[in-house]
Amino acid sequence: MPNPRETHVTTPGGQYQPSMDVLEQSPARQPGVVPGVPTLTAEEFNEARQIYFQRCAGCHGVLRRGATGKALTTDITRERGLEALRDFINFGSPAGMPNWGTSGDLTDRQVDMMARYLLNEPPQPPEFGMAEIRETWRVNVPVEQRPTSKQNNINIENLFSVTLRDAGQIALIDGDTKEIVTVITTGYAVHISRSSASGRYLYVVGRDGKVNLIDLWMPVPDSVAEVRIGLEARSVETSKAQGYEDRFVIAGGYWPPQYVIMDGATLEPLRVESTRGYTVDTQEFHPEPRVAAIVASHYRPEWVVNVKETGKILLVNYEDLRNLRVTSINAERFLHDGGLDRSGRYFMVAANARNKIGVVDTREGRLVSLIDVSTTPHPGRGANFDHPRFGPVWATSHLGSDVVSLIGTDPEGHPQQAWRVVQELNGQGGGSLFIKTHPRSRNLYVDTTLNPEAEIASSVAVFDIDNLDKPYEVLPIGEWSGLTEGQRRVVQPEFNRDGTEVWFSVWNSQAQESAIVVVDDRTRRPIRVIRDRRLVTPTGKFNVYNTQRDVY
């Protein structure tokens, strides 16, 4: 398979879930000819397959069964016909389908080719079971050769793991000095970084399914083990229950749809489980239910695993891997991202295409509520704070509207406000990916990374938590970066350990310079701009202390 850093073409201008482009070179057999259905040459088939994985699969699914985007199975596409499909691809739709033709992303020839491609059965990428997983497993530094105490002067609790998306790397940046400690080669387009319960280890997962284990105690932190859990992935989490700290790690696959449990110190794959099954609403079988966010329970030795397309939340108990106990909770389809409330008891998760937030009680292991919110919630991990009138709340922003929804999370102290939207704030616009605050902050930051207006995409809105009726202030992060080229999309606020600074990525394309802007939370003014040629397309930033303790 070619180096993904050489073949990757997705840019910040791409769509919300662009690409399963790591699958574009995977072997696949061209479906046979069907009478009356337009055909493709072998060359067209390979080109169309690559375009589909690059542009379409993230929303419509590898097997075209639908997710954030509508299903494109042949019973639907053949009923619409070739001409209608051409128009759909060319002009897009008000529901969110991009105008791939008129935007210039696809030529007229490619639009016609993709319409014919959709009239034929989709090719299926290969499976990736335990044998294939174990073939990729490498322990670069055995446990017995690793340090027995910390061998560097880094303040690990204020260390940031920064995704260098298109470089296939992460940068470890010292939060005290703002200097890059090291750059580590990982899987391509790392989606998240997760700290182990002890804080010693860092786990990162790339969109190509590669998991790296990084030892932060080494003189220069580096990857000590690696494994691929599939061909496409998004999530990784460690065991945090008392007595199980650093013992296990779990990663969830987009393709194949499965999760893999591994040894926490070596990444040795121990168990793989498929998530294929029946949807919670129509009870129909779905062959491609992808694993989205995973969080570790603070109450039980369990992981909370979100299965996107079926709408099921799995509580995976890791006490006995041989006799695995899994509690399946029916929630709502198209589960995506989310985080814990301030107490750590309730998990708040966005069913983004259904415009709902699900609430799971991780102590009792049950669904508490499904809450209606605005269009396409995308909270990241969300934001927790004490509302001046309604008590503890958890907040989400949205991709499809400018609304910020505040949901009450205190059923004992504020029962009248619990599990309902107590207030809606209006921000700059749609296209938000992340919202953030900190227990020591009185500010609520909302990005608008995917907003079509360049000025809005390169800035953030900040609300005063003590006076939420006051208009938000716009921080021109892109302008503060000093960068003059590119679209300068600003993404993912992340606080330092003490909650005194908030870091923003200024995300340009791979060929352009990017930066990180550090803002003083009290004054809301920049205090440092980190510009370095090694900061290639920085996106997610994960402070070790905050990630370790689920502080957000």
Coordinates of all heavy atoms in Angstrom, one line a residue, residues 95-132:
A95 N -29.9 19.7 1.3 CA -29.7 18.9 2.5 C -28.3 18.7 2.9 O -28.0 18.1 4.0 CB -30.4 17.6 2.3
G96 N -27.4 19.2 2.2 CA -26.0 19.1 2.5 C -25.1 18.3 1.6 O -23.8 18.3 1.8
M97 N -25.6 17.8 0.5 CA -24.8 17.1 -0.5 C -24.0 18.2 -1.3 O -24.5 19.1 -1.8 CB -25.7 16.4 -1.5 CG -25.0 15.8 -2.7 SD -23.9 14.5 -2.4 CE -23.3 14.1 -4.1
P98 N -22.6 18.1 -1.3 CA -21.8 19.1 -2.0 C -22.1 19.1 -3.5 O -22.4 18.0 -4.1 CB -20.4 18.6 -1.6 CG -20.5 17.8 -0.4 CD -21.8 17.1 -0.6
N99 N -21.9 20.2 -4.1 CA -22.0 20.4 -5.5 C -20.6 20.0 -6.2 O -19.9 20.9 -6.6 CB -22.4 21.8 -5.9 CG -21.5 22.8 -5.3 OD1 -21.0 22.7 -4.2 ND2 -21.3 23.9 -6.0
W100 N -20.4 18.7 -6.3 CA -19.0 18.3 -6.7 C -18.7 18.7 -8.1 O -17.5 19.0 -8.4 CB -19.0 16.8 -6.6 CG -19.1 16.2 -5.3 CD1 -20.0 15.4 -4.7 CD2 -18.1 16.4 -4.2 NE1 -19.8 15.1 -3.4 CE2 -18.6 15.7 -3.1 CE3 -16.9 17.1 -4.1 CZ2 -17.9 15.7 -1.8 CZ3 -16.2 17.0 -2.9 CH2 -16.7 16.3 -1.8
G101 N -19.7 18.9 -9.0 CA -19.4 19.3 -10.4 C -19.2 20.8 -10.5 O -18.2 21.2 -11.0
T102 N -20.3 21.5 -10.1 CA -20.2 23.0 -10.3 C -19.2 23.6 -9.5 O -18.7 24.8 -9.8 CB -21.6 23.6 -10.0 OG1 -22.0 23.3 -8.7 CG2 -22.6 23.1 -11.0
S103 N -18.7 23.0 -8.4 CA -17.6 23.5 -7.6 C -16.3 23.4 -8.3 O -15.3 24.0 -7.8 CB -17.6 22.8 -6.2 OG -17.2 21.5 -6.4
G104 N -16.2 22.5 -9.3 CA -14.9 22.3 -9.9 C -14.1 21.1 -9.4 O -13.0 20.8 -9.9
D105 N -14.6 20.5 -8.3 CA -13.9 19.3 -7.7 C -13.9 18.1 -8.6 O -12.9 17.4 -8.6 CB -14.6 18.9 -6.4 CG -14.3 20.0 -5.3 OD1 -13.2 20.0 -4.8 OD2 -15.2 20.8 -5.0
L106 N -15.0 17.9 -9.4 CA -15.1 16.8 -10.4 C -15.3 17.4 -11.8 O -16.1 18.4 -11.9 CB -16.2 15.8 -10.0 CG -16.0 15.1 -8.7 CD1 -17.2 14.2 -8.5 CD2 -14.7 14.3 -8.6
T107 N -14.7 16.8 -12.8 CA -15.0 17.2 -14.2 C -16.3 16.6 -14.6 O -16.9 15.7 -14.0 CB -13.9 16.7 -15.1 OG1 -13.9 15.3 -15.1 CG2 -12.5 17.2 -14.6
D108 N -16.8 17.1 -15.8 CA -18.0 16.5 -16.4 C -17.9 15.0 -16.6 O -18.8 14.2 -16.4 CB -18.4 17.2 -17.7 CG -18.8 18.7 -17.5 OD1 -19.2 19.0 -16.3 OD2 -18.8 19.4 -18.4
R109 N -16.7 14.6 -17.1 CA -16.4 13.2 -17.3 C -16.5 12.4 -16.0 O -17.1 11.3 -15.9 CB -15.1 13.0 -17.9 CG -14.7 11.5 -18.2 CD -13.2 11.4 -18.6 NE -12.3 11.7 -17.5 CZ -12.0 10.9 -16.5 NH1 -12.5 9.6 -16.4 NH2 -11.2 11.3 -15.5
Q110 N -15.9 13.0 -14.9 CA -16.0 12.3 -13.6 C -17.4 12.2 -13.0 O -17.7 11.3 -12.4 CB -15.0 13.0 -12.7 CG -13.5 12.7 -13.0 CD -12.6 13.5 -12.1 OE1 -12.8 14.7 -11.8 NE2 -11.5 12.9 -11.8
V111 N -18.1 13.3 -13.2 CA -19.5 13.3 -12.7 C -20.3 12.2 -13.4 O -21.0 11.4 -12.7 CB -20.2 14.7 -13.0 CG1 -21.7 14.6 -12.8 CG2 -19.6 15.7 -12.1
D112 N -20.2 12.1 -14.7 CA -20.8 11.0 -15.4 C -20.3 9.6 -15.0 O -21.1 8.7 -14.8 CB -20.6 11.1 -16.9 CG -21.2 10.0 -17.7 OD1 -22.5 10.1 -17.9 OD2 -20.5 9.1 -18.2
M113 N -19.1 9.5 -14.8 CA -18.5 8.2 -14.3 C -19.0 7.8 -12.9 O -19.3 6.7 -12.7 CB -16.9 8.3 -14.3 CG -16.2 7.1 -13.8 SD -14.4 7.4 -13.8 CE -14.3 8.7 -12.5
M114 N -19.1 8.8 -12.0 CA -19.6 8.5 -10.7 C -21.0 8.2 -10.7 O -21.5 7.3 -9.9 CB -19.3 9.7 -9.8 CG -17.9 10.0 -9.5 SD -16.9 8.6 -8.9 CE -17.8 8.2 -7.4
A115 N -21.8 8.8 -11.6 CA -23.2 8.4 -11.7 C -23.4 6.9 -12.1 O -24.2 6.2 -11.6 CB -23.9 9.3 -12.7
R116 N -22.5 6.5 -13.1 CA -22.6 5.1 -13.5 C -22.1 4.2 -12.4 O -22.6 3.1 -12.3 CB -21.7 5.0 -14.8 CG -22.4 5.5 -16.1 CD -21.5 5.3 -17.3 NE -20.4 6.3 -17.4 CZ -19.2 5.9 -17.6 NH1 -18.9 4.6 -17.7 NH2 -18.2 6.8 -17.6
Y117 N -21.1 4.6 -11.7 CA -20.5 3.9 -10.6 C -21.6 3.5 -9.6 O -21.7 2.4 -9.0 CB -19.4 4.6 -9.9 CG -18.7 3.9 -8.8 CD1 -17.8 2.9 -9.0 CD2 -19.0 4.3 -7.5 CE1 -17.2 2.3 -7.9 CE2 -18.4 3.7 -6.4 CZ -17.5 2.7 -6.6 OH -16.9 2.1 -5.5
L118 N -22.5 4.5 -9.3 CA -23.5 4.4 -8.3 C -24.6 3.4 -8.7 O -25.4 2.9 -7.9 CB -24.1 5.7 -7.9 CG -23.1 6.7 -7.1 CD1 -23.9 8.0 -6.8 CD2 -22.6 6.0 -5.9
L119 N -24.7 3.2 -10.0 CA -25.7 2.3 -10.6 C -25.3 0.8 -10.5 O -26.1 -0.1 -10.7 CB -26.1 2.7 -12.0 CG -26.8 4.0 -12.2 CD1 -26.8 4.3 -13.7 CD2 -28.2 3.9 -11.7
N120 N -24.0 0.6 -10.2 CA -23.5 -0.7 -10.0 C -23.3 -1.0 -8.5 O -23.2 -0.1 -7.7 CB -22.1 -0.8 -10.8 CG -22.3 -0.8 -12.3 OD1 -22.4 -1.9 -12.9 ND2 -22.2 0.3 -12.9
E121 N -23.2 -2.3 -8.2 CA -23.1 -2.7 -6.8 C -21.7 -2.2 -6.3 O -20.7 -2.2 -7.0 CB -23.1 -4.2 -6.7 CG -24.5 -4.8 -7.0 CD -25.6 -4.4 -6.0 OE1 -25.2 -4.1 -4.9 OE2 -26.8 -4.5 -6.3
P122 N -21.7 -1.8 -5.0 CA -20.4 -1.3 -4.5 C -19.4 -2.5 -4.2 O -19.8 -3.6 -3.8 CB -20.8 -0.7 -3.1 CG -22.1 -1.4 -2.8 CD -22.8 -1.7 -4.0
P123 N -18.1 -2.3 -4.5 CA -17.1 -3.3 -4.1 C -16.9 -3.2 -2.6 O -17.0 -2.2 -2.0 CB -15.9 -2.8 -4.8 CG -16.1 -1.3 -4.9 CD -17.5 -1.1 -5.1
Q124 N -16.6 -4.4 -2.0 CA -16.4 -4.4 -0.6 C -14.9 -4.6 -0.3 O -14.2 -5.5 -0.8 CB -17.1 -5.6 0.0 CG -16.9 -5.8 1.5 CD -17.9 -6.7 2.1 OE1 -19.1 -6.7 1.9 NE2 -17.4 -7.6 3.0
P125 N -14.3 -3.7 0.5 CA -12.9 -3.9 0.9 C -12.7 -5.2 1.7 O -13.7 -5.8 2.2 CB -12.6 -2.7 1.8 CG -13.7 -1.7 1.5 CD -14.9 -2.5 1.1
P126 N -11.5 -5.6 1.8 CA -11.2 -6.9 2.5 C -11.5 -6.8 4.0 O -11.5 -5.7 4.6 CB -9.8 -7.2 2.2 CG -9.2 -5.8 1.9 CD -10.2 -5.1 1.3
E127 N -11.8 -7.9 4.6 CA -11.9 -8.0 6.1 C -10.5 -7.9 6.7 O -9.5 -8.0 6.0 CB -12.6 -9.3 6.5 CG -14.0 -9.4 5.9 CD -15.0 -8.4 6.5 OE1 -14.8 -8.0 7.7 OE2 -15.9 -7.9 5.7
F128 N -10.5 -7.7 8.0 CA -9.2 -7.6 8.7 C -9.4 -8.2 10.1 O -9.7 -7.5 11.0 CB -8.8 -6.1 8.8 CG -7.4 -5.8 8.9 CD1 -6.6 -5.8 7.8 CD2 -6.8 -5.6 10.1 CE1 -5.2 -5.5 7.9 CE2 -5.4 -5.3 10.2 CZ -4.6 -5.2 9.1
G129 N -9.2 -9.5 10.1 CA -9.4 -10.3 11.4 C -8.2 -10.4 12.2 O -7.1 -9.7 12.0
M130 N -8.2 -11.2 13.2 CA -7.1 -11.3 14.2 C -5.8 -11.7 13.5 O -4.7 -11.2 13.9 CB -7.5 -12.4 15.3 CG -6.4 -12.5 16.4 SD -6.0 -10.9 17.2 CE -7.4 -10.9 18.4
A131 N -5.8 -12.6 12.5 CA -4.6 -13.0 11.9 C -3.9 -11.8 11.2 O -2.7 -11.6 11.3 CB -4.8 -14.1 10.9
E132 N -4.7 -11.0 10.5 CA -4.2 -9.8 9.8 C -3.7 -8.8 10.9 O -2.7 -8.1 10.7 CB -5.2 -9.2 8.9 CG -5.5 -10.0 7.7 CD -6.5 -11.2 8.0 OE1 -7.1 -11.2 9.1 OE2 -6.7 -12.0 7.1

